[in-house]
Amino acid sequence: MDWSSFWGVLWYTLVIFAFIAYLVVLFMILSDLFRDHKLSAGWKVLWIIALVIFPYLTAFVYILARGQGMAERSHSAAVAAARSQEQYIQHAAGQASPAHQIATAKSLLDAGVVSQEEYEVLKSKALAAA
């Protein structure tokens, strides 16, 4: 590496960028291969071997051939993770019964924190959720 030349540093930076970009694409492809339950194990092995032998060419072919399914699997995994997180939060926070929500709203009304109209809105929401 010639650090005294601007073009040498620029070339080195470009090579490092291309390598890191390839690693990101490689990990995306590998995670997609293992996420795809419809693809047989034999095809998965062939894709991995091709990624090792012809790295950039295979990555481009994979993205062109299976890019749409890759996006769909990624989206479904994100939706499943969000749904799981939402269920965990609801479980951890606990679901209050409508009677408990109305009692809490009544105590807020008695304390003067909410008005009668706000109490009625809270009460109707609690009853609607039941």
Side-chain angles (χ1 to χ4, degrees):
M1 175 65 207
D2 183 19
W3 290 101
S4 63
S5 167
F6 170 75
W7 297 111
V9 172
L10 186 64
W11 176 252
Y12 185 71
T13 303
L14 187 64
V15 168
I16 294 298
F17 176 79
F19 179 69
I20 291 173
Y22 172 71
L23 287 179
V24 169
V25 170
L26 176 70
F27 288 125
M28 288 176 60
I29 290 172
L30 289 174
S31 66
D32 183 64
L33 278 172
F34 290 111
R35 188 183 294 143
D36 188 4
H37 299 293
K38 295 177 184 174
L39 190 64
S40 71
W43 282 109
K44 290 178 184 181
V45 169
L46 287 177
W47 277 113
I48 292 170
I49 291 171
L51 279 168
V52 171
I53 296 173
F54 305 109
Y56 283 98
L57 179 65
T58 305
F60 291 138
V61 169
Y62 186 88
I63 290 172
L64 289 174
R66 299 179 47 85
Q68 183 66 29
M70 192 174 180
E72 291 169 359
R73 284 183 292 278
S74 177
H75 176 70
S76 65
V79 168
R83 186 177 303 126
S84 175
Q85 179 184 13
E86 185 178 309
Q87 288 174 350
Y88 172 75
I89 290 171
Q90 287 178 350
H91 175 72
Q95 293 289 342
S97 67
H100 183 266
Q101 291 176 354
I102 293 171
T104 303
K106 179 67 174 158
S107 66
L108 291 174
L109 175 66
D110 294 340
V113 176
V114 296
S115 66
Q116 182 66 33
E117 294 82 22
E118 292 171 325
Y119 168 73
E120 293 299 329
V121 170
L122 292 171
K123 182 177 171 183
S124 64
K125 284 183 182 178
L127 292 174

